[in-house]
Amino acid sequence: MATQPSLTNRAGRDGGPFLKPPVRHSYSPEYQELKFSLHRKLLDRINLETLSTMAGERVRTEIRGALSKLIDEEKTPLSLVEKDQVIDEVLHEVFGLGPLEPLLNDPTVNDILVTTPRLVYVERAGKLYKTSVEFKDNAHLMRILERIVSRVGRRIDEASPMVDARLPDGSRVNAVIPPVAVDGPLLSIRRFSRDPLQAEDLVRNLTLTEGMMQLLQACVKARLNLIITGGTGAGKTTLLNVLSSFIPEDERIVTIEDAAELQLRQVHVARMETRPPNIEGQGAIKIRNLVINALRMRPDRIIVGEVRGEEALDMLQAMNTGHDGSLTTIHANSPRDAIGRLEVMVGMANANMGIRAIRQQVASAIDLFVQIARLSDGSRRVTYLTECVGMEGDQVTTQDIFVFERTGLGEGGKVRGRFRATGIRPKFYERLAASGIQLPASIFQTVVEIR
């Protein structure tokens, strides 16, 4: 009598989540061949036109029944648990993103990183973990990539080997394939919570203090121009979502992104995203084109998901010509570095502007830099709230309103530190008061310890 293979849960060993315990041979060549054989036979037997007229749950029920019969015809001995797992995985291949579905259904996963078909990592709470998830081969991974990008009207092939896309839930997708990717297709998915973080969540998580959040809320309501700066994965988009929630409901918001991922809660939101060139290399629509077009759309607020090139000039000019209260993000290690990056990006626009003129544009447009960082323990902290004061000679002058100071490491590598108000009352304080916003003077004197 053939013995049933024993069950093991590899999730505890390598961090890979599974909705059901995987079988020991779940990623062996024999198992993969069984799964794809069932997939092929299923496509041969089912009537796709008939299924397309059925409701979603009824379709799944019909296909689950068909798969159950196909498995019964196979000679491979499977337990009931293994049979259910095979059916679930084939359903993922038919309706979803194959092996990625368990990861996409895991709320603790923030990033999914596919390095090779058999090397998949996830990020949880700022830390990377190797999973037991595998694809059959490069062709299997390519099919999943093509399914992702085709849903949003984009393409990926040798002529266009890099693509940015999004999933239906707003998660950001980046894919790179050969010849650019040396060892096979690369896939990165930045997950976004189905229940976006609120301001109180960031305060509770000590991403920033209550006083800092009060100041940011006041700045947004008083229509100050804010730039959120930080590195990759620092939480810039999450913070941008939270700050945008403070915009009044009666204002018209225009959002501009490479791949639409902002989750604004207001009703009156006009969303735009860029478009890559077609197969002839024509028809590309860049961030800069959309920023210029947004000025003709009667916006009360312009939110640019990220400024990374020549569109910086148009963004600064919009801020300087009556579109106060604009928000955007850029990659930078500090507020001072952000100013330097803005100078470089404006220079990319070939506007023949001198460095002093560029700095005057920056100093006049930006009111506050919000620096956020991901620390070594995976936590996110707003490390600087820095006011852009103006020009002094040829230099843009700034002053820190709040800073986060690291003081060491605690148990388990947890970063210790303190949020400290510098005691400086911002120059824009009068603008807040003119907008009817009164902040207690005590918030500019507080210190909050993190142990």
Side-chain angles (χ1 to χ4, degrees):
M1 179 182 295
T3 59
Q4 299 291 342
S6 63
L7 300 176
T8 64
N9 190 342
R10 296 163 65 184
R13 181 172 74 248
D14 54 23
F18 280 89
L19 301 182
K20 295 180 180 179
V23 295
R24 179 176 57 192
H25 63 297
S26 61
Y27 289 107
S28 67
E30 295 80 6
Y31 180 86
Q32 293 280 18
E33 187 55 42
L34 169 64
K35 186 171 69 174
F36 281 91
S37 174
L38 291 170
H39 191 191
R40 288 192 298 270
K41 291 178 180 179
L42 176 68
L43 295 178
D44 290 338
R45 291 196 182 186
I46 62 177
N47 187 328
L48 293 177
E49 292 184 3
T50 301
L51 290 178
S52 65
T53 64
M54 298 181 183
E57 285 306 315
R58 187 180 172 193
V59 170
R60 287 180 175 270
T61 301
E62 292 284 340
I63 291 183
R64 183 174 286 276
L67 283 171
S68 182
K69 292 178 182 178
L70 287 172
I71 291 175
D72 291 339
E73 296 172 6
E74 295 289 330
K75 297 179 180 180
T76 306
L78 295 174
S79 69
L80 290 176
V81 173
E82 294 165 343
K83 182 177 178 180
D84 284 344
Q85 181 182 329
V86 172
I87 291 175
D88 284 343
E89 292 188 11
V90 176
L91 286 173
H92 292 333
E93 294 292 337
V94 175
F95 295 106
L97 300 182
L100 298 178
E101 283 296 318
L103 302 178
L104 293 169
N105 291 327
D106 185 343
T108 67
V109 172
N110 298 320
D111 287 276
I112 302 172
L113 308 171
V114 182
T115 306
T116 70
R118 290 180 169 79
L119 193 61
V120 180
Y121 288 82
V122 296
E123 182 206 283
R124 290 190 181 92
K127 295 289 187 178
L128 288 179
Y129 300 92
K130 183 178 180 295
T131 75
S132 56
V133 170
E134 294 181 1
F135 294 83
K136 182 183 179 183
D137 50 29
N138 283 337
H140 183 198
L141 178 53
M142 275 300 302
R143 286 197 296 273
I144 299 300
L145 293 182
E146 288 167 356
R147 186 176 301 175
I148 292 173
V149 301
S150 64
R151 288 175 176 174
V152 291
R154 308 215 170 180
R155 64 186 181 89
I156 186 166
D157 50 41
E158 286 192 7
S160 180
M162 299 182 293
V163 69
D164 287 311
R166 67 179 186 279
L167 299 181
D169 66 355
S171 297
R172 180 197 309 167
V173 177
N174 176 266
V176 185
I177 66 171
V180 174
V182 177
D183 299 318
L186 301 172
L187 173 64
S188 305
I189 300 177
R190 172 67 52 81
R191 296 284 312 285
F192 288 97
S193 173
R194 293 168 184 167
D195 185 19
L197 292 176
Q198 309 286 332
E200 53 270 22
D201 296 320
L202 298 187
V203 174
R204 184 169 55 252
N205 296 340
L206 290 177
T207 300
L208 72 175
T209 66
E210 179 67 36
M212 295 166 72
M213 184 60 77
Q214 288 180 21
L215 179 61
L216 290 175
Q217 181 175 2
C219 290
V220 173
K221 290 185 175 181
R223 302 182 64 87
L224 272 63
N225 296 320
L226 275 63
I227 290 188
I228 301 170
T229 70
T232 300
K236 299 187 297 297
T237 302
T238 298
L239 184 56
L240 181 60
N241 266 319
V242 170
L243 296 187
S244 66
S245 68
F246 300 135
I247 299 175
E249 283 283 353
D250 60 352
E251 295 188 12
R252 174 174 169 82
I253 305 170
V254 176
T255 68
I256 299 168
E257 302 171 83
D258 274 323
E261 57 188 345
L262 290 173
Q263 299 169 293
L264 273 63
R265 303 176 183 88
Q266 291 85 348
V267 175
H268 198 171
V269 179
R271 305 170 70 205
M272 296 189 291
E273 68 177 359
T274 60
R275 187 180 73 183
N278 59 23
I279 196 167
E280 289 85 19
Q282 305 296 322
I285 298 177
K286 300 181 179 181
I287 290 279
R288 187 175 192 187
N289 305 127
L290 297 180
V291 172
I292 294 171
N293 188 77
L295 302 180
R296 307 186 183 107
M297 297 174 65
R298 200 263 176 215
D300 289 307
R301 308 270 186 153
I302 298 175
I303 300 178
V304 179
E306 182 182 341
V307 171
R308 58 165 66 92
E310 56 192 18
E311 65 272 8
L313 174 60
D314 302 286
M315 188 70 198
L316 291 175
Q317 289 183 332
M319 291 176 172
N320 277 324
T321 54
H323 294 88
D324 296 333
S326 298
L327 303 170
T328 189
T329 73
I330 65 172
H331 280 79
N333 294 325
S334 69
R336 178 54 59 180
D337 287 345
I339 294 174
R341 281 216 66 208
L342 284 169
E343 294 172 3
V344 172
M345 290 188 289
V346 170
M348 294 168 63
N350 296 320
N352 295 320
M353 296 174 63
I355 189 65
R356 179 177 174 81
I358 294 175
R359 289 173 178 172
Q360 285 176 332
Q361 286 280 318
V362 172
S364 176
I366 309 303
D367 295 301
L368 187 68
F369 289 99
V370 184
Q371 181 75 35
I372 187 168
R374 181 175 60 181
L375 306 184
S376 59
D377 61 355
S379 62
R380 274 88 170 175
R381 301 279 185 263
V382 174
T383 54
Y384 291 96
L385 293 185
T386 300
E387 181 184 18
C388 187
V389 179
M391 292 282 290
E392 186 172 311
D394 289 335
Q395 299 298 318
V396 178
T397 58
T398 62
Q399 60 183 12
D400 297 332
I401 310 302
F402 286 91
V403 297
F404 176 76
E405 300 171 337
R406 306 179 205 192
T407 57
L409 294 178
E411 295 182 2
K414 182 176 177 59
V415 175
R416 292 177 174 174
R418 60 174 173 265
F419 291 102
R420 180 177 62 84
T422 61
I424 298 174
R425 193 172 73 169
K427 186 178 178 181
F428 56 70
Y429 189 82
E430 287 75 17
R431 287 181 59 185
L432 302 183
S435 300
I437 300 171
Q438 296 293 333
L439 292 176
S442 59
I443 71 170
F444 301 111
Q445 308 292 333
T446 58
V447 177
V448 177
E449 297 281 348
I450 297 178
R451 301 186 179 277

